[in-house]
Amino acid sequence: MSLPHAILTALLEKPSSGLELTRRFDRSIGYFWSATHQQIYRELGKLEAEGSIRALASQQPARGQKKRYEVLPAGRAELARWTAASQDPKPLRDTLLLRLRAAAVVGTAGIGEDLRRHLDLHRRQLAEYEEIQERDFPPGKDAPADRLQHLVLRAGIDLETFWTGWLTHALAEFERIPAEGSTTP
Amino acid sequence: MSLPHAILTALLEKPSSGLELTRRFDRSIGYFWSATHQQIYRELGKLEAEGSIRALASQQPARGQKKRYEVLPAGRAELARWTAASQDPKPLRDTLLLRLRAAAVVGTAGIGEDLRRHLDLHRRQLAEYEEIQERDFPPGKDAPADRLQHLVLRAGIDLETFWTGWLTHALAEFERIPAEGSTTP
DNA sequence: GGGGTTTATGCAACTAGTTGCAAAAGGGAG
DNA sequence: CTCCCTTTTGCAACTAGTTGCATAAACCCC
């Protein structure tokens, strides 16, 4: 229920073609709302059909022909409505935690290795976020919109910090857990 | 791709009927892998059909008749396989962060209120986890399986701690952001 | 003993996201 | 000039999760 709103936000920030959007979803927006190009094209089609966006009139629509979209008033209104509406946080769903719980009954074989891998991935992501922070949010860049975007980045940083911390702790615990195999033989 | 494994884990911990599973998903397991009763019944059907679990032979199957399931060797093997297999963490997807980003272009109306509400929800969840920790993991309860389950709970606690911390910070920032309305009029 | 509530199971339709593949246009290499 | 490669767009089928509703037994209560 949020992909269209993610796209509207991206298009308001800067009118783009489907492919440009895809690239931007791989970078900034995708950090907290990922989408594949197929999803994006499908959604662009729907948004255009319902009059929320329109293709910038320049060339006739054709395959392999770049089509750049901009947001129409109806789209902006819908985004504002959605943004203001209260929403419940959706419950956590994490396979790694589930696997740990499963490991308590079928054995820990293989998991330690994957914990290390995840730790590495989260450390990289954290480093990337911190780099962005230094690059895009120097002290003094604090117009309202900057503050908001920085806040979002901060969430990413804090979240990755949580993961690296927890994974480090988990690995330490693992060293103290007896050998591999089922714990209920 | 993980609901069947969540169910297998739950059934290994204790053979249960569909409704009992549903209740357990509302409590412990659902804290990191939620599921509705419809999902659970559907999945139980599939798992039984493929020979991973079976209904404890006692009464003939009939509507309104409790049916309790247990895991068969094939199911346990599949769970062990899945648990040991490496998996990538799936990218974050969070509407609140998306809304904040949208707010940077269409205005912050309504969000502050919702931030407060989320903060309250996360605080409650954190309190609940901490209660569970005190109740179920007194010092000394550290058999391997206990350690693993405690680790999972710890993740929940740390995660809620992150959210409450970040939301508190976000609300403080919000007080310093000029009045409501669009920031790009 | 008939009527409402609770317990327990389940189907069907819908929504959202993923995967796999393909087709049109344009650009460069021989 | 034609063949291949990249860019850009897109369809179709599949998987997972959600919502809404249906049905049957059991309980209970008056």
Side-chain angles (χ1 to χ4, degrees):
Chain A
M1 211 40 235
S2 325
L3 177 58
H5 304 104
I7 291 180
L8 287 172
T9 304
L11 287 181
L12 277 172
E13 287 172 2
K14 179 174 180 348
S16 309
S17 70
L19 196 67
E20 284 164 346
L21 277 178
T22 303
R23 296 209 212 290
R24 292 173 58 201
F25 268 79
D26 286 343
R27 292 179 280 114
S28 60
I29 296 194
Y31 288 142
F32 50 90
W33 202 274
S34 60
T36 62
H37 70 110
Q38 291 87 343
Q39 275 179 279
I40 289 169
Y41 283 115
R42 198 190 333 173
E43 209 59 46
L44 283 173
K46 282 190 206 167
L47 287 168
E48 188 175 26
E50 77 189 33
S52 295
I53 62 174
R54 76 165 163 214
L56 286 179
S58 51
Q59 59 275 307
Q60 67 285 23
R63 269 172 177 266
Q65 187 75 273
K66 223 178 201 171
K67 228 188 332 184
R68 177 175 260 100
Y69 293 93
E70 69 179 352
V71 178
L72 294 172
R76 173 182 273 265
E78 164 56 22
L79 182 60
R81 188 205 59 74
W82 177 82
T83 305
S86 139
Q87 271 181 257
D88 283 332
K90 84 167 186 5
L92 177 60
R93 222 171 238 191
D94 189 282
T95 40
L96 191 57
L97 297 179
L98 185 55
R99 284 166 68 201
L100 238 38
R101 175 115 178 201
V105 277
V106 298
T108 57
I111 291 204
E113 209 177 320
D114 215 30
L115 288 178
R116 259 184 294 278
R117 203 171 60 86
H118 280 225
L119 176 55
D120 190 55
L121 290 169
H122 285 293
R123 278 212 255 252
R124 279 175 210 279
Q125 189 65 61
L126 178 56
E128 192 173 336
Y129 286 160
E130 281 173 338
E131 205 176 292
I132 293 174
Q133 179 168 236
E134 276 173 42
R135 171 159 44 79
D136 293 354
F137 300 97
K141 195 155 198 298
D142 54 4
D146 294 323
R147 279 183 192 284
L148 285 170
Q149 288 186 19
H150 195 174
L151 210 45
V152 173
L153 180 59
R154 208 73 80 81
I157 290 176
D158 291 356
L159 195 55
E160 295 302 333
T161 302
F162 145 69
W163 276 115
T164 53
W166 178 79
L167 281 164
T168 303
H169 172 71
L171 281 166
E173 272 290 286
F174 253 61
E175 312 229 313
R176 306 171 58 202
I177 290 179
E180 311 279 298
S182 173
T183 55
T184 57
Chain B
M1 213 40 237
S2 324
L3 177 58
H5 303 104
I7 291 179
L8 287 171
T9 304
L11 287 181
L12 278 171
E13 287 171 2
K14 180 172 179 351
S16 309
S17 69
L19 196 67
E20 285 164 346
L21 277 178
T22 302
R23 296 209 212 289
R24 292 172 58 201
F25 268 78
D26 285 344
R27 291 180 281 117
S28 60
I29 296 191
Y31 288 142
F32 49 91
W33 201 275
S34 60
T36 61
H37 70 109
Q38 291 88 342
Q39 276 179 281
I40 289 170
Y41 283 115
R42 200 192 331 176
E43 209 58 47
L44 283 172
K46 282 191 206 165
L47 287 169
E48 188 176 25
E50 78 189 30
S52 295
I53 62 175
R54 76 164 162 213
L56 287 179
S58 49
Q59 59 274 306
Q60 67 286 22
R63 269 173 178 267
Q65 189 73 273
K66 223 177 201 173
K67 229 189 329 184
R68 176 174 260 102
Y69 292 92
E70 67 178 353
V71 179
L72 294 172
R76 172 181 275 265
E78 164 55 23
L79 182 60
R81 187 204 60 71
W82 178 81
T83 305
S86 139
Q87 272 181 255
D88 283 333
K90 86 168 184 5
L92 177 60
R93 221 169 238 194
D94 188 283
T95 40
L96 191 56
L97 298 179
L98 185 55
R99 284 166 66 200
L100 238 38
R101 175 115 176 202
V105 277
V106 298
T108 57
I111 291 204
E113 208 177 321
D114 217 28
L115 288 178
R116 259 184 293 278
R117 202 173 59 87
H118 280 224
L119 177 54
D120 190 55
L121 290 170
H122 285 293
R123 278 212 254 253
R124 278 173 210 279
Q125 188 66 62
L126 178 55
E128 192 174 336
Y129 286 160
E130 281 174 338
E131 205 176 293
I132 293 174
Q133 179 169 235
E134 276 175 40
R135 172 160 41 82
D136 294 353
F137 299 97
K141 196 153 197 299
D142 55 4
D146 295 323
R147 277 183 193 284
L148 286 169
Q149 289 187 17
H150 195 175
L151 211 45
V152 173
L153 180 59
R154 209 73 80 83
I157 291 175
D158 291 356
L159 194 56
E160 296 302 333
T161 302
F162 145 70
W163 276 115
T164 53
W166 179 78
L167 282 165
T168 303
H169 173 71
L171 280 166
E173 273 290 286
F174 253 61
E175 313 229 314
R176 305 172 59 201
I177 291 179
E180 312 278 299
S182 174
T183 55
T184 57

